[in-house]
Amino acid sequence: MTRPDVRPGTIVIYTDVACAWSTVTIARLLRTRADLGLDEQVLLDHRCFLLEDVNSFPIPKKLLDSEIPVAGALEPSLGWKPWQADPSEWPVTTAPANEAVHAAKLQSPQAAEELDLALRLAFFRDSRCISLRHEIVDIAQGCPHVDATEIGAALNDGRARGPMMLDYRAHRDAVQGSPHLFFADGYDVHNPGVQLRWEGEQGAGFPVVDSDDPLVFERLLRHAAAADRSTTAT
């Protein structure tokens, strides 16, 4: 089992853009980071944990239909909605969307953060088919720090796909699921703040949140910022 390398002042976060629980985590990380004034001190390094590959099937619509009301209640400001488009337009793969986030990371960490959140909102709020190149590029055009033309070019030539999949394969065994956060000092945590269980079979049952502690994100961000200061001091 190989843990990812993490730079000081960085949180490496393994997710899939179609994961509701990682969307909650990312929204809380971004909001809490801004509230603490740590936007310049702590960066998110987005990595892919490709659920369709882990599970050997596409993201099931029935599963998301049961998760969205529960996850959405944790962060209602994101405007979650059940799938509003025709069922035939449900994205069969999230690999291109995850790839686009990694392509944005070639531009800047801020570009990757913006596009990642925009793709999640496009899926969970706006019912857009984020499997499609033209949808991804159009979503990228709404992100201030993202060069959407370069995203399209990267999707054309695959420059981000190889490194993304190489990292995913190398660290898959170290990742418990989406989201899983790793820190420079060796600390890591899966789905922070949320204790979750399923009633019934997945796909037929529903998730139950036994406890939820959004305040954990202040501790996690200060932890990452402290690692940066410690490295700088030495």
Side-chain angles (χ1 to χ4, degrees):
M1 183 173 71
T2 304
R3 293 174 55 89
D5 292 329
V6 184
R7 296 186 304 274
T10 300
I11 300 174
V12 165
I13 178 167
Y14 281 87
T15 70
D16 190 300
V17 296
C19 171
W21 310 107
S22 65
T23 301
V24 169
T25 289
I26 287 169
R28 290 175 168 180
L29 280 170
L30 295 176
R31 183 177 63 248
T32 306
R33 187 182 66 178
D35 290 345
L36 294 173
L38 294 175
D39 283 342
E40 302 300 321
Q41 285 74 42
V42 180
L43 299 175
L44 303 185
D45 183 353
H46 285 282
R47 310 282 184 96
C48 179
F49 190 66
L50 192 60
L51 292 175
E52 64 201 52
D53 184 77
V54 173
N55 297 319
S56 298
F57 52 74
I59 301 296
K61 184 177 180 297
K62 288 195 299 183
L63 177 66
L64 267 293
D65 285 344
S66 66
E67 286 187 340
I68 285 174
V70 182
L74 303 183
E75 283 294 318
S77 64
L78 296 182
W80 311 69
K81 294 178 183 175
W83 187 253
Q84 302 293 302
D86 191 278
S88 66
E89 298 176 20
W90 178 262
V92 68
T93 177
T94 61
N98 286 296
E99 179 184 354
V101 174
H102 282 251
K105 198 161 63 168
L106 298 175
Q107 300 178 24
S108 70
Q110 188 175 21
E113 290 180 10
E114 286 182 358
L115 184 56
D116 175 84
L117 184 59
L119 287 164
R120 293 170 187 275
L121 294 176
F123 177 56
F124 286 111
R125 184 191 64 192
D126 303 330
S127 299
R128 298 180 69 170
C129 183
I130 58 172
S131 297
L132 298 176
R133 179 190 178 280
H134 73 273
E135 288 281 13
I136 294 169
V137 172
D138 187 60
I139 292 162
Q141 288 173 345
C143 299
H145 294 90
V146 178
D147 184 332
T149 300
E150 277 300 300
I151 296 299
L155 292 173
N156 287 345
D157 63 29
R159 70 189 70 163
R161 173 68 70 95
M164 178 185 82
M165 294 304 295
L166 184 65
D167 178 83
Y168 161 66
R169 298 290 184 196
H171 302 115
R172 173 176 165 172
D173 290 344
V175 179
Q176 288 180 260
S178 174
H180 196 151
L181 284 61
F182 294 84
F183 296 78
D185 64 353
Y187 178 70
D188 66 273
V189 59
H190 172 243
N191 205 15
V194 176
Q195 293 294 322
L196 178 70
R197 61 184 168 86
W198 273 84
E199 285 290 337
E201 298 180 4
Q202 283 200 359
F206 55 90
V208 176
V209 174
D210 288 324
S211 64
D212 176 37
D213 179 19
L215 297 180
V216 72
F217 292 95
E218 180 175 344
R219 177 178 64 80
L220 293 174
L221 285 156
R222 291 192 186 280
H223 187 97
D228 187 34
R229 289 194 296 271
S230 174
T231 301
T232 302
T234 58

